[in-house]
Every structure is written in structure tokens, then in C-alpha cells.
Amino acid sequence: MAFLTQLLFHPFTWYHAHQLLAGQMGVDGLLALSIWLTLYSGQLTLANAGFMAIGAYSSVILTGGTTSSGPAAAGVHLPLPVAMLIGVVLAAVVALLIGLPVLRLKGVFLAIATLGFGEALRFGLILNLGITGKGQGLNNPHATLTSGIMPIWLSLAILAFLAWRLTGTKTGHAWAAIREDQLAAAAQGIDVARYKMVAFVLGAMVAAFAGALGAHLSFLIDSNDYTFTQAIDMLIWAVVGGIAFVIGPIVGAVLLTILPEVLRFTQDYRQVINGVILIAIVLFRPDGLFTRRSGTGQSGWFVRRWVTVRRRWPSRRPQPAPP
Amino acid sequence: MRNTIQQLLNGIFIGSIYALFGLGYTLVFGLLDVLNLAHSEVFMLGAVVAYSLVALHHVPFLLAVPLGIAAGGLLGLVIEFVALRPLRRRGAPPIAALISTIGLALILVALIEQAKRGGALSWLWRDGANDVQFPAGKVPDRIWHLAGLTLPVNKVAIVVITVALMGVLAYVMAKTPAGRAVRAVAENPRAAQLLGVNVDRVITITLVASSALAALAGILFALALNDISPYIGRDQVELRGLAVIVLGGMGSIPGTFIGGFTLGLLESITILTLGTDVRAVGFVALFVMLILRPSGLLGRPATERV
């Protein structure tokens, strides 16, 4: 409780006591933004932990990170912004190559394939390449620590603003149309494949950017920070916050990152509480915390929860006629 | 040569566990289009219950196995009533059920990893996040030696059990009224309901059966590798199970069978040829399979889901 009162009434004191947590919150907000981009266009992709790793490892290697047996890339000492830019561009290229085959998949299949990409990247490359320390992780002597926090929050604010403005553009409308009904969107002449790819690549770039920023909050990066669990965490933030607005996932990320600190008194059972919150959100607030009021006049979650509850299941999409 | 054959045999042993685990995944996915991510924690809990009965309560192993399976079945009821049925009632999309099963999985892992000596759950688990082994002599551990190959009896039994269960399940699904009801619900729940099938009961029974299979797979895994911890579900089989059902074709029982053994053998071959970490194999296979043939080896062509 002291944590909360301090946060609310003495934010500056709080900030000085919890700088790294504040940085982590910003990074998580960026990650939530990255998964929001694909979710908003109706695609459940879980590759962002992999792109995050690409950004993190590139930025650390290029700024002179060291493995246990010497410098990862001898003689390379780029300034951090340049290294981050290279990481982000690399992630964009990889996303483009991966996206070409993978984005044809839908729903759960897309989720599994992108998850497979993330884990194959981690187990296949990061744990086996000399340049990434073969699973020993990399030392990052050029970590920026606390001086990196303001840039993180600043870039989160700017990117969130840009993403919000993007929803009002042609691209944003195309994403929403694809999310609501891909076939109808295609029938309206929207280039579905292209707009999906734009969302996927943008998401990958933001994730790589967040990964690079996050990596420089610490003197050591470890492939265990970029697992399946990290991908699922991003999804959880987005679900808790709701994907109707860009602010939803960001608030979800910030809240759930800070929650363990607020719930210190529960100590070891934090994950139990996380699980309960997750189930409760899905059950009682299925569209997340921030939802768009529907255009029917009688909107709000109460009506959706209690009046229109028994509508969709077990009806399904029309099945193809047997041959 | 002998080493090669031994490795391939090991691939078959471990592959049959993957197949058994994937079976429950695929049953639920075929029925509901829901990826039940709590499945791997039922696997873990099956192993934990069997371990606690054998090591803490001195129950004979052969009695602990059915009790562990029963515990898995009960957990299936919990999944259905807590994570799935309320969402189905509201017509939530399958992605919502994916999230709620993740929530359940988080809770189960956390409960076990926090169970310490003297805690409220110490009758079930006392070792926190640590790995434990079955006490020596309490579980079958005889080893056959055949033509220079090492054949642990329990691993051979695993293959036999898996093959037998696959046969039984394939028969039940194809020939019995219960199997027909399951297939009807999978095809179209509303039509099935109109034709007099109790849809909720079919789903509940499937969840129980699927979870019982996961618990059995967990017990067999614990027996074969002699390694039990709160994380065996999450780290060992969760994603491999996905690879298995994607390889075989999601929702296909014979496909899962083939997918399990394929993954086990692929991992063995990787050890033989590259000698490296085998965990990447499943993901590479999964990724390639989804791109080349998303419907898997034996699946129906993927229609639009979600």
C-alpha cells in the first residue's frame, strides 16, 4: 500500500525509488503497442518476442557487447541510436521475409506459426551462434540504465500518438475493415495482403525498438527474456486493456507490470492473482478495459454482458458443402 | 550402428509420450476450435499427483497411476466449468478461451511451485520449484538387454500403452454412438443439438477424457525421464504438443499419432547428426509444415477458423 500512496501522492519520490521499474513499464508499453498493431488488423501473431530479441541482440552486439569469451563483434562500437536503427531495420527485413508465407494463415494457425518462428529463432540461432553468446547471454557494458528511461517514455508517447493518428487514416480504416471481415474488406477493393504485411512489419519494428531499449536497461541480456512467456505476456496486456484503442494495451501493460509491486503483500502468489485477473477480465469484461461504444444507442459492457449474451454460439460460419 | 538404433528407439519412446499428450490437445481443438493451453499443466499435475502418492503417501505405483489419471479428469471438469463453458455461453470467440486457459495454467503452475514443506499443499507437493525423482525401487525400473540394446521395461510399456490407447480412441470415435456424437458436435454444434445430442455433455466428457490422457502422458513422462517439477508441462511438452498436432493435422487422431512419432524421431536424428540442442527441431518442423501444408500430414484442408 505504501507503494500505491507514494505513487499517487509523491510521484517524484516514487520515481527515484523505482527508476528501473518505470523503465520496464515503458518498455512493456512499447511491446504492447507492437502487438496492438497486428491485433488491430485482426491478426493474432505471437512473433514479437522474436523481433524483440533481434532488436536487443543487434543493439547490444553493435555497441560493443561481450560474450564470456571476448567481444561479440570485435572492433564494432557503433553509437546506440545507429545500432538500434540497424536492429529495427533487420527486424523489418526478417518480418517481411517471414510474413510473406506466414500471413496467409489465419487465426490459431497464424498464432502457432509465429510462435514457432520465435522459438525456432531462440533455440536454433541465439542458443547456437557464437556472436550471441550461445545461450550464456551477452554482457552489455554500455547499458544506459536510468538515463534511458526518459527516452523510453518519450518514444512511447510519440509512437502511441502516431499509432492513434494512424487509426484515422486510410491504413487504419483498412486494418479495421480487415479485422471485422476480411472477405468483405477484400470485396471493397482493400489490398488485404498488403495492409496485413504493413501491420506485421510495423509491429516487428516497434518490438525490435522496445527490445533494444529494454536491453540497455540491463548489463546482461539473456535469451530467456524473449520466450513464449514473453509473447504471451504481450497478448495478455492487450487483452486486458482491449484493442479498440491504442491506449488500451499500453495501460494494460503498465498496470500489469506494476501490479506485482502493488501486490507485494501477496508475495509468492502473484502469479495466482495474475491468472485470476486474466480469467475475470475474459469473463466479465471480454473486450478489455477500454472499449468502443457500439453504434446501437444502448451500448456499454453491461448490456453486452447481460442482454446479448446468448447470441453467437453455437452458430458457426457456413460450412462448405460436402463434395 | 547400435548407437543409431538406440537413439531411434529413444525417439520412439519419447515420441509416444508426445503423441499421447497431443491427443488431448487435438481432441479439444477438433471439437471446439479452442487451443487449451492448460493442457500442459494437467500433464504436469498428473505427474505431481502420481509422485506424491508414491513418494509421500506410499501408495503402490500401479494404484497411483489410475488415481493420477482421475485427478487429471477432475481437472478437465475444472477447465470446462471455469475457463470454457462461461465463455461459450456468451458466444466469445475461441481466442477468449485461449486466454482464459492461459490464466488457469498460470494459477496451476504457481500453486505447485509455491507449495513448500509445511504449506497448505504440502500433502501434494513439498519441493517448490525444484526437480524431484521417484524414490528408487518404488516404480518399475527393470531393463531388458536385447542384442546390445537397452530397453527399459517402462519405456517399452509406454509405447504399447500409447498404441493401444490410440486404437481404442480411433475405434470409439469411428464406431460408437459416443464417438458419433463428438464428431457431430465438431461438425456443427447447433445441428447436433437440434438432432438431440446433449452438446454440453459431449464437450464435458471430451474435456475429461482429454485431460485424463494428458495426466497419463505426464505420469509416463515422469516415469521415463524420472524428472518431475512444476515446469515439466510448460517447458517440455506445451510447444512440442503444438508441433505434434500441427505436423499431424489439427483435429486428426491418426495424424497426432504420426506427428508424435515423427517429432520424436526427428529429435533423435538431430541428436545423431548435429549433436546439438534438439528443442529447435520441433519449432522448425512446425514452422515449415504450417507454410508448406497448413492442414498437416493427415488433416483436412484448413477451412477458415476463428
Side-chain angles (χ1 to χ4, degrees):
Chain A
M1 277 303 111
F3 180 90
L4 259 191
T5 39
Q6 194 183 34
L7 174 61
L8 292 176
F9 298 109
H10 305 282
F12 290 101
T13 326
W14 178 88
Y15 176 75
H16 286 293
H18 300 92
Q19 285 185 325
L20 281 182
L21 178 65
Q24 193 58 48
M25 281 157 59
V27 171
D28 290 351
L30 281 168
L31 291 171
L33 174 62
S34 81
I35 200 170
W36 173 84
L37 283 163
T38 43
L39 287 174
Y40 191 76
S41 62
Q43 310 170 82
L44 176 56
T45 64
L46 296 174
N48 288 9
F51 295 126
M52 189 188 164
I54 291 178
Y57 274 92
S58 318
S59 73
V60 171
I61 290 170
L62 295 174
T63 50
T66 56
T67 64
S68 49
S69 56
V76 181
H77 279 285
L78 296 177
L80 181 57
V82 179
M84 283 172 61
L85 185 68
I86 294 176
V88 169
V89 170
L90 185 64
V93 172
V94 173
L96 204 62
L97 294 177
I98 296 291
L100 282 175
V102 160
L103 292 184
R104 288 180 308 167
L105 300 168
K106 295 191 189 87
V108 170
F109 291 90
L110 178 62
I112 297 175
T114 45
L115 204 57
F117 157 73
E119 294 295 292
L121 179 77
R122 190 164 73 93
F123 286 122
L125 288 182
I126 294 177
L127 292 185
N128 290 317
L129 290 181
I131 198 170
T132 53
K134 293 196 176 186
Q136 305 282 315
L138 284 179
N139 290 311
N140 182 16
H142 304 285
T144 47
L145 298 190
T146 51
S147 65
I149 295 171
M150 271 304 131
I152 290 174
W153 279 94
L154 204 61
S155 49
L156 176 59
I158 293 172
L159 286 175
F161 177 76
L162 288 178
W164 173 62
R165 296 302 298 166
L166 199 57
T167 56
T169 64
K170 193 178 158 197
T171 307
H173 289 306
W175 285 344
I178 295 170
R179 182 187 68 224
E180 293 305 323
D181 191 331
Q182 188 174 323
L183 270 180
Q188 298 287 323
I190 294 172
D191 188 344
V192 172
R194 201 182 91 207
Y195 282 107
K196 277 182 166 182
M197 181 63 91
V198 169
F200 187 62
V201 171
L202 283 181
M205 291 168 78
V206 175
F209 180 64
L213 286 171
H216 283 269
L217 283 178
S218 147
F219 286 110
L220 180 76
I221 64 168
D222 182 351
S223 69
N224 285 329
D225 295 337
Y226 311 104
T227 57
F228 173 56
T229 317
Q230 177 69 61
I232 293 292
D233 276 348
M234 294 181 211
L235 180 62
I236 291 173
W237 299 330
V239 168
V240 168
I243 59 162
F245 301 102
V246 64
I247 195 71
I250 295 174
V251 171
V254 168
L255 281 182
L256 288 186
T257 306
I258 216 170
L259 188 73
E261 305 300 323
V262 179
L263 295 178
R264 269 284 167 73
F265 59 94
T266 62
Q267 289 189 347
D268 301 331
Y269 288 92
R270 291 193 304 234
Q271 282 293 3
V272 177
I273 291 175
N274 272 345
V276 171
I277 288 176
L278 204 55
I279 294 178
I281 287 274
V282 173
L283 287 184
F284 300 114
R285 195 101 173 100
D287 295 330
L289 296 175
F290 294 84
T291 55
R292 195 181 290 279
R293 285 170 177 262
S294 60
T296 55
Q298 33 155 235
S299 49
W301 69 278
F302 184 83
V303 175
R304 266 202 313 286
R305 171 76 180 85
W306 298 106
V307 181
T308 57
V309 286
R310 284 156 204 277
R311 197 160 35 107
R312 269 175 285 178
W313 215 85
S315 76
R316 286 242 182 143
R317 289 170 188 279
Q319 301 285 321
Chain B
M1 186 62 206
R2 191 161 284 165
N3 182 34
T4 309
I5 295 176
Q6 183 71 52
Q7 280 295 347
L8 292 180
L9 275 177
N10 287 344
I12 290 175
F13 294 147
I14 199 75
S16 60
I17 293 177
Y18 297 161
L20 209 52
F21 177 77
L23 204 56
Y25 245 147
T26 221
L27 269 180
V28 172
F29 185 83
L31 192 65
L32 297 174
D33 286 358
V34 164
L35 217 47
N36 171 15
L37 288 183
H39 198 60
S40 50
E41 306 320 334
V42 182
F43 172 96
M44 179 270 289
L45 226 75
V48 163
V49 168
Y51 166 80
S52 95
L53 286 172
V54 170
L56 308 180
H57 304 288
H58 309 291
V59 175
F61 180 71
L62 288 180
L63 185 60
V65 173
L67 290 174
I69 294 173
L74 277 178
L75 216 54
L77 286 181
V78 173
I79 296 174
E80 157 70 359
F81 284 99
V82 174
L84 299 182
R85 183 168 292 190
L87 293 176
R88 212 161 60 231
R89 286 276 180 273
R90 204 179 41 235
I95 177 70
L98 179 89
I99 307 278
S100 65
T101 54
I102 291 174
L104 211 53
L106 286 180
I107 296 173
L108 290 174
V109 174
L111 282 179
I112 297 299
E113 79 179 353
Q114 296 306 333
K116 308 232 165 63
R117 203 170 288 274
L121 282 175
S122 61
W123 50 274
L124 180 62
W125 185 256
R126 316 182 163 165
D127 295 281
N130 299 323
D131 289 48
V132 296
Q133 301 185 328
F134 280 117
K138 292 278 193 73
V139 293
D141 54 1
R142 194 186 304 173
I143 293 175
W144 288 337
H145 292 283
L146 193 72
L149 298 172
T150 314
L151 294 176
V153 171
N154 53 33
K155 292 191 180 174
V156 176
I158 288 168
V159 179
V160 174
I161 291 172
T162 304
V163 173
L165 273 177
M166 288 281 176
V168 169
L169 203 65
Y171 174 80
V172 168
M173 291 294 281
K175 301 286 183 193
T176 64
R180 252 198 305 281
V182 172
R183 282 184 292 139
V185 175
E187 197 61 43
N188 187 333
R190 172 155 286 175
Q193 190 145 34
L194 288 174
L195 292 170
V197 176
N198 186 339
V199 172
D200 276 336
R201 194 167 69 196
V202 167
I203 293 173
T204 310
I205 291 173
T206 308
L207 247 304
V208 169
S210 144
S211 301
L213 284 170
L216 174 62
I219 296 169
L220 295 178
F221 179 90
L223 187 62
L225 277 78
N226 213 350
D227 172 23
I228 305 151
S229 85
Y231 309 119
I232 55 172
R234 198 179 69 192
D235 293 349
Q236 301 286 347
V237 291
E238 181 158 38
L239 295 165
R240 280 182 176 130
L242 284 181
V244 166
I245 57 179
V246 165
L247 281 177
M250 297 187 77
S252 158
I253 290 172
T256 307
F257 192 61
I258 294 173
F261 287 112
T262 309
L263 182 62
L265 287 172
L266 275 177
E267 289 188 347
S268 292
I269 293 168
T270 314
I271 296 177
L272 281 172
T273 52
L274 297 174
T276 55
D277 198 315
V278 295
R279 283 172 295 182
V281 178
F283 307 116
V284 175
L286 175 154
F287 191 69
V288 171
M289 194 66 180
L290 274 173
I291 289 167
L292 296 181
R293 194 176 150 79
S295 52
L297 290 168
L298 293 185
R300 291 165 299 172
T303 49
E304 183 170 328
R305 296 187 189 273
V306 175

